[in-house]
Amino acid sequence: MSTENFELPDVGEGLTEAEIVSWHVKAGDSVELNQTLCEIETAKSIVELPSPFEGRVVELFASEGQTVDVGKHILSIETAGSVSSSEVPAAPEAPAADLEFDAAQADAASTVSSEGAESGANSVLVGYGLGDAPTTRRRKKSAAPAQPTRPAQIPAPAQPSHRPAAQAPAPAPGAARTQARPGSVPAASASPIIAKPPIRKLAKDLAVDLSQVEPTGLAGETTRDDVIRHAQQASVFKNLETPIWGEVREEKHPVKGVRKATANAMVSSMFTAPHVTLFTDVDATRTMEFVKRLKASPDFAGVKVSPLLIVARAVMWAIRRNPMVNAAWTDEEYTVKHYVNLGLAAATPRGLIVPNIKDAHAMTLHQLAQAIEQLTYRARDGKTPPTEMRDGTFTITNIGVFGMDTGTPVINPGEVGILALGTIKLKPWVFEDEVRPRMVTTLGASFDHRLVDGDVASRFLADVATIVEEPALLLD
C-alpha cells in the first residue's frame, strides 16, 4: 500500500490556477481509475478531473470554492500498486457532443442566438487513461410490436404526475360528466404527450411544461418549434418581473474565472488594437424566407436553422474575398490565414466566452448548422473544452437575441475582426421604388486598424450584406 498525492494539472490551456467547483468524492471513498474526482472552473470553462489512481481517498487538501495553483496537491489516494498517470496510455479528447440527444435554445427575438448542444459526454484528460466505453442512452428495441403513434418514452422517476392517468378516478358528486359513445373507450381528460427524447430534453432545459404546449406535428407530436415558441411567450412575461431588494444593501463578489479572463481580454484588446467600427442596414427578408425553406426541408430535419447560420456562411464567403480580415498581428509580422476557425460569442451563466468552430470554411451548410447548435449548448452548459476556445480567426456576436439593433463589438484578442448581428424585425423599407414592410437588420463590424484599412473593412461588410440580402448567391 502507498499514498499518492494528486496535483492540480494544467488541462491544456496554459492554466496557472483554478477554482474547485465541487467534489465528487470525500475522504474514505473508494475510487476507480478515471472516476471523476472533482470539477474545476478555469478562466474559460468547467472541467472534470478524472482520477489517475485506483484506491481509497485519504484526504482532500482543498475545499469547494477555493482557488488552487497548478501543481498544488488537492487530494491524496491510498493505492495498492499505484498506477502513475505517466504509465497510462494517453487518451484522445472526449467527443465534443452526443449527437443523439441534442437540443435547441429558445431565441429571444426574431433573430436567433448562436447556439449548440452537448448531452454530456464526460471529459477525459489526455494522459489520464481511457475510461470505460461510453454508454449510450438509446433505448434498445423491444421484441414487442412497435406502436406507430406512440414513440418510446424515457421512464420518469417515481413521483406524482402532473398528467391525468389513463383510468381517471370517479368524478366527485356534482362534477360535469361527458357521455361516452356506445362502444367507445373512455378517454383521459387530456391527450397523451407525444414528443421525442430530444424534444423532452429541450423542454426540460427551457423549463417548459409539455402538457401546456400546443403540438403542431402531423401526427399530433410536439415539435422543437412548438417548445421554443412556448418558451418565447413565457419569457415575455418573465422579463416583466422586477426583483425585490432585500435588507442587504450591497453585494461583493471576487473577480475570478470567466469574469476575470473577460476583463483582461477586453482591456488588452481596447488598449492594444486601434478599433474602427462600421455599420450598415440590410434588408434580410430573403434570408428569413430562405431560413423558413431550410426548416421545412427534410435534409435539415432535427437541426436548428437560424439567420445566424446564413450570416456565418456569408462571413466566410466575404473572408475569402477580403482575406486580410482573417489575419493575426504581432509587432514583428502578421499572418494571413487561409482557413476559418469561426468564433461565436456566447453569453453563459458564467459570463462571456468565445468558443470557435474549427475549419468552419470546409463545412456544408448542414454541417455548419449542426456545429453551431452543438457549440452553443456546450457553452451554455459549461462543458466547452479548452481546445474550442483557442486559435479562433474571426468572431460573430449575435446581439439581436437581446433585442438590440446594433453595437460596437470589441475584437477578440488574437484576431483582427468581429461582426455584430442585430435583431431582425419589420421596418419600412424602400423596395422596388415603394415603401414596404421588410425584415431589416443592422450589421456592425470592428477591425484592427493596424492591419485592416477602411476600404478592406468596407468591402468586407458590403459582401456580408450582399449575401444577407440575397442568400441564393451562396448556392453559386
Side-chain angles (χ1 to χ4, degrees):
M1 305 290 288
S2 62
T3 300
E4 300 287 350
N5 291 319
F6 179 47
E7 300 175 351
L8 178 66
D10 180 351
V11 293
E13 56 179 357
L15 185 70
T16 59
E17 63 180 20
E19 177 187 340
I20 305 295
V21 176
S22 62
W23 281 107
H24 289 211
V25 297
K26 62 182 183 298
D29 285 355
S30 296
V31 295
E32 300 176 353
L33 187 67
N34 285 321
Q35 177 180 335
T36 299
L37 297 174
C38 64
E39 291 183 345
I40 63 171
E41 181 177 15
T42 72
K44 298 178 180 179
S45 61
I46 291 180
V47 178
E48 294 180 348
L49 294 185
S51 175
F53 311 111
E54 182 175 335
R56 183 181 63 85
V57 177
V58 178
E59 184 179 0
L60 305 181
F61 299 131
S63 58
E64 293 182 354
Q66 181 178 344
T67 299
V68 182
D69 293 334
V70 169
K72 295 293 185 181
H73 296 161
I74 58 174
L75 85 163
S76 59
I77 298 177
E78 185 180 65
T79 67
S82 303
V83 180
S84 170
S85 61
S86 62
E87 298 172 354
V88 180
E93 293 188 3
D98 178 349
L99 299 184
E100 179 185 358
F101 276 75
D102 63 336
Q105 186 176 9
D107 304 324
S110 57
T111 187
V112 65
S113 66
S114 50
E115 54 199 6
E118 179 186 46
S119 301
N122 290 332
S123 299
V124 178
L125 298 183
V126 175
Y128 279 72
L130 293 168
D132 296 334
T135 57
T136 178
R137 285 178 281 177
R138 184 180 284 111
R139 295 175 60 90
K140 295 182 179 180
K141 294 183 179 179
S142 171
Q147 298 294 330
T149 60
R150 292 288 301 277
Q153 299 181 9
I154 299 176
Q159 59 182 8
S161 172
H162 63 278
R163 299 191 343 238
Q167 297 295 332
R177 293 180 174 85
T178 56
Q179 185 174 3
R181 291 175 297 175
S184 64
V185 179
S189 59
S191 301
I193 297 174
I194 304 175
K196 295 179 180 179
I199 305 304
R200 292 179 180 274
K201 182 179 186 302
L202 169 62
K204 180 180 178 181
D205 291 341
L206 298 178
V208 169
D209 183 353
L210 283 175
S211 66
Q212 303 299 316
V213 179
E214 181 179 354
T216 62
L218 296 179
E221 75 277 12
T222 302
T223 67
R224 182 186 299 262
D225 286 343
D226 295 336
V227 174
I228 291 176
R229 188 182 308 109
H230 186 91
Q232 286 177 318
Q233 295 169 351
S235 68
V236 172
F237 295 98
K238 184 176 180 180
N239 290 338
L240 296 177
E241 298 176 358
T242 304
I244 299 176
W245 283 338
E247 297 180 358
V248 179
R249 293 178 62 84
E250 295 179 347
E251 294 183 23
K252 296 185 182 296
H253 302 274
V255 178
K256 61 182 182 179
V258 172
R259 176 54 54 201
K260 183 177 182 179
T262 301
N264 292 338
M266 295 300 97
V267 170
S268 174
S269 178
M270 286 300 296
F271 288 95
T272 301
H275 284 51
V276 58
T277 306
L278 306 176
F279 306 96
T280 186
D281 293 332
V282 185
D283 181 358
T285 304
R286 288 194 174 97
T287 281
M288 300 303 289
E289 293 170 350
F290 187 40
V291 167
K292 185 176 181 179
R293 291 198 300 272
L294 289 179
K295 286 183 176 180
S297 170
D299 293 337
F300 283 81
V303 180
K304 181 64 182 177
V305 179
S306 70
L308 177 65
L309 172 64
I310 310 305
V311 171
R313 197 60 178 268
V315 162
M316 288 182 287
W317 180 78
I319 284 175
R320 286 181 180 270
R321 292 164 54 85
N322 306 275
M324 199 63 76
V325 304
N326 195 51
W329 169 274
T330 67
D331 290 334
E332 292 77 26
E333 63 180 11
Y334 63 88
T335 304
V336 179
K337 301 174 182 179
H338 296 167
Y339 60 90
V340 179
N341 291 344
L342 185 65
L344 299 176
T348 74
R350 298 173 56 248
L352 177 68
I353 64 174
V354 187
N356 62 78
I357 301 171
K358 298 294 190 290
D359 291 327
H361 67 284
M363 294 182 175
T364 65
L365 200 60
H366 185 273
Q367 291 170 336
L368 185 60
Q370 287 182 317
I372 291 175
E373 187 175 34
Q374 295 160 20
L375 177 143
T376 305
Y377 273 96
R378 286 194 293 276
R380 184 203 63 184
D381 296 338
K383 300 294 185 180
T384 302
T387 53
E388 262 187 17
M389 287 185 279
R390 291 200 301 265
D391 305 322
T393 65
F394 192 93
T395 295
I396 299 175
T397 177
N398 186 5
I399 59 175
V401 296
F402 307 111
M404 297 295 102
D405 292 329
T406 188
T408 54
V410 178
I411 301 168
N412 195 33
E415 302 170 14
V416 299
I418 182 172
L419 178 85
L421 171 62
T423 186
I424 303 176
K425 57 187 177 183
L426 277 175
K427 290 183 179 180
W429 189 265
V430 177
F431 180 75
E432 295 180 348
D433 298 328
E434 295 182 3
V435 177
R436 300 183 185 181
R438 304 286 288 180
M439 300 299 291
V440 178
T441 188
T442 301
L443 301 176
S446 295
F447 302 94
D448 186 340
H449 217 344
R450 293 175 299 180
L451 192 57
V452 181
D453 298 332
D455 60 331
V456 176
S458 299
R459 287 198 299 268
F460 170 83
L461 194 57
D463 283 345
V464 175
T466 296
I467 297 300
V468 174
E469 289 180 346
E470 186 48 82
L473 294 174
L474 288 173
L475 305 178
D476 292 344

